C-alpha cells in the first residue's frame, strides 16, 4: 500500500472513509510519511487580485454577482500592489503565493490578462512558487500562464458530480475537467479539491474523492475547504457539519492520493486547535497563512505560528521543490477510466 493508484472504486473509497477513526488516521499518517516529512507544514498565502462581481452562481461564494453579500468588490489590482503583498508573504515564511480572481474565465487576451502575466513574472522573481486561480482556461491561456511562470493552477471540483448542479448551475462538471486538462497539457501542476459542509451527503464526499482519484496524474495539491458560511449566499444557514467528516475526508484523500499534498484550506477559523491537529495527524500538510483568505478571515500569522510551535511542526523552507508526482503513465491528466 502507498503507491499511487488511479482505479479505486467508489465502494473501496467508501470503505476507507468509514474505517474506525483510529485506523483511518493511523493509515493516513503511515502513507503520508512515505512521501513527506511528518513534521513539515507547507504554507501558502492567498491574495484576491480581482474581487467580487463574478458571473458564476456558486452557492457558497461571497464573490458571486448572483448573491447579495457585503464583499467590497474591486477590479484587477495594480501589479506593484500584488508584488508588495507577495514580498510580505515571503518574508512571513510562505513558500507559495496564490493569486485569485473572481472570474468565470479570464478575459481573452487584452490588457487585463497581460497584467496578470506581468504579475506572475514579477512574483516569480521573488523566488516564490506562483499559483493562480482565475476560473476556466482555454488551452492558449493555460500555455501563457505556464510560460509566465505559474507553478500551480487551482481549480476545484468542489463536490460529487451528482450534487454539483445543486451548488452551481452556470457551468457543468465537465467544464472544470476540461480546464484541468488544459492546465496539465500546459505543464502546470494541478491544485484541485473541494468543500465539505455544503449540505452534501457522505456519499457526495466519497464521490468527490473518487473523481479526484481518477485525475491522472493525481493533483499535486488537494485543498480541503470547510464551508465558510457567508450571509447573503444560499448556504448562509447551512447546518454545521460534524468536524470528524472533515478529518475523514482529509485522511481518505491522503490514503488514495499518497503523493498529493493535502491542504487544510478555508474554514480553519471555525476549527478548534485540536481539530486542526487531528487533520495534521490525518496527513494534511499545508495551510493558508495570513489573516485573510480571499475575502474571509483566516487565523493569522501569530495564531498559526503558536499552533505550529505547540505541535512541534515547522514550515517547509521557501524554495524547496514540491515532490514530483508519480505518473500513472496514462498520459496527460484526463481522468483515467476506473477499473470495472
Ligand atoms: N473563480 C475561480 C474559481 O472558482 O475557480 C477562483 C476563485 S474561487 C473563490 C476558489 C475556490 O474557493 C472555490 O473553488 C471554492 O472551492 C473555494 N471557496 C469559495 N468560497 C468558499 C467558501 N465560502 N467556503 C469554502 N470554500 C470556498
Ligand atoms: C481553495 O481551495 N481555497 C482557497 C483557494 N483554493 C483559492 C480559497 C478559499 C476561499 C474562501 C472564501 C473567501 O475567502 O472568499
Ligand atoms: Fe466564486 Fe469562483 Fe464561483 Fe466566481 S467562479 S462565484 S469566484 S467560486
Amino acid at each position: 500500500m502507498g503507491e499511487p493508484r488511479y482505479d479505486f472504486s467508489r465502494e473501496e473509497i467508501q470503505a476507507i472513509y468509514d474505517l474506525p477513526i483510529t485506523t483511518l488516521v493511523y493509515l493516513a499518517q503511515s502513507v503520508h510519511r512515505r512521501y513527506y516529512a511528518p513534521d513539515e507544514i507547507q504554507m501558502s498565502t492567498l491574495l484576491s487580485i480581482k474581487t467580487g462581481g463574478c458571473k458564476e452562481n456558486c452557492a457558497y461564494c461571497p464573490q458571486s454577482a448572483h448573491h447579495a453579500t457585503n464583499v467590497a468588490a474591486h477590479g484587477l489590482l495594480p501589479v506593484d500592489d500584488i508584488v508588495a503583498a507577495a514580498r510580505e508573504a515571503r518574508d512571513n515564511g510562505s513558500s507559495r503565493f496564490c493569486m485569485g480572481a473572481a472570474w468565470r474565465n479570464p478575459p481573452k487576451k487584452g490588457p487585463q490578462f497581460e497584467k496578470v502575466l506581468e504579475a506572475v513574472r514579477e512574483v516569480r522573481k521573488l523566488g516564490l512558487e506562483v499559483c493562480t486561480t482565475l476560473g476556466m482556461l482555454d488551452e492558449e491561456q493555460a500555455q501563457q500562464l505556464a510560460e509566465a511562470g505559474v507553478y500551480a493552477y487551482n481549480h476545484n471540483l468542489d463536490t460529487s458530480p451528482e450534487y454539483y448542479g445543486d451548488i452551481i448551475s452556470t457551468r457543468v462538471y465537465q467544464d472544470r475537467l476540461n480546464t484541468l486538462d488544459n492546465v496539465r497539457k500546459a505543464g502546470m501542476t494541478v491544485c484541485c479539491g473541494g468543500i465539505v459542509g455544503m449540505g452534501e451527503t457522505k456519499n457526495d464526499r466519497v464521490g468527490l474523492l473518487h473523481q479526484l482519484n481518477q485525475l491522472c496524474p493525481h493533483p499535486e495539491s488537494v485543498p480541503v475547504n470547510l464551508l465558510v458560511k457567508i450571509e447573503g449566499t444560499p448556504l448562509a444557514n447551512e447546518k454545521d457539519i460534524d468536524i470528524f467528516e472533515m478529518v475523514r475526508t482529509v485522511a481518505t484523500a491522503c490514503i488514495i492520493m499518497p503523493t498529493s499534498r493535502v491542504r487544510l484550506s478555508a474554514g480553519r477559523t471555525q476549527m478548534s486547535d485540536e481539530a486542526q491537529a487531528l487533520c495534521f495527524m490525518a496527513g494534511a500538510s499545508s495551510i493558508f497563512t495570513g489573516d485573510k483568505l480571499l475575502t474571509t478571515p483566516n487565523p493569522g500569522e501569530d495564531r498559526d505560528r503558536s499552533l505550529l510551535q505547540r505541535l512541534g511542526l515547522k514550515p517547509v523552507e521557501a524554495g524547496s521543490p514540491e515532490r514530483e508526482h508519480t505518473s500513472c503513465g496514462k498520459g496527460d491528466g484526463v481522468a483515467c477510466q476506473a477499473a470495472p
Side-chain angles (χ1 to χ4, degrees), residues 60 62 101 103 133 135 155-156 158 176 195 225-228 266 294:
Y60 47 77
W103 277 321
T133 179
H155 203 65
N156 292 339
D158 281 341
R176 296 303 264 189
I195 307 180
N225 296 278
L226 178 63
L227 176 72
V228 181
L294 290 172

Side-chain angles (χ1 to χ4, degrees), residues 156-170:
N156 292 339
L157 289 173
D158 281 341
T159 190
S160 68
E162 307 88 84
Y163 194 54
Y164 202 70
D166 287 26
I167 299 295
I168 302 148
S169 62
T170 49

Side-chain angles (χ1 to χ4, degrees), residues 50-67 100-105 133-136 155-156 158 164 167-168 170-171 176 195 294:
K50 185 268 174 192
T51 305
C54 182
K55 288 181 194 153
E56 303 269 30
N57 68 352
C58 312
Y60 47 77
C61 186
Q63 303 199 66
S64 165
H66 298 256
H67 320 316
W103 277 321
R104 174 174 161 78
N105 46 269
T133 179
L134 315 170
M136 294 185 275
H155 203 65
N156 292 339
D158 281 341
Y164 202 70
I167 299 295
I168 302 148
T170 49
R171 60 170 185 255
R176 296 303 264 189
I195 307 180
L294 290 172

Side-chain angles (χ1 to χ4, degrees), residues 306-323:
S306 133
L307 178 62
L308 291 194
Q309 198 178 19
R310 284 162 65 214
L311 298 178
L313 303 176
K314 61 182 189 215
V316 171
E317 294 279 309
S320 52
E322 287 274 359
R323 180 176 288 275

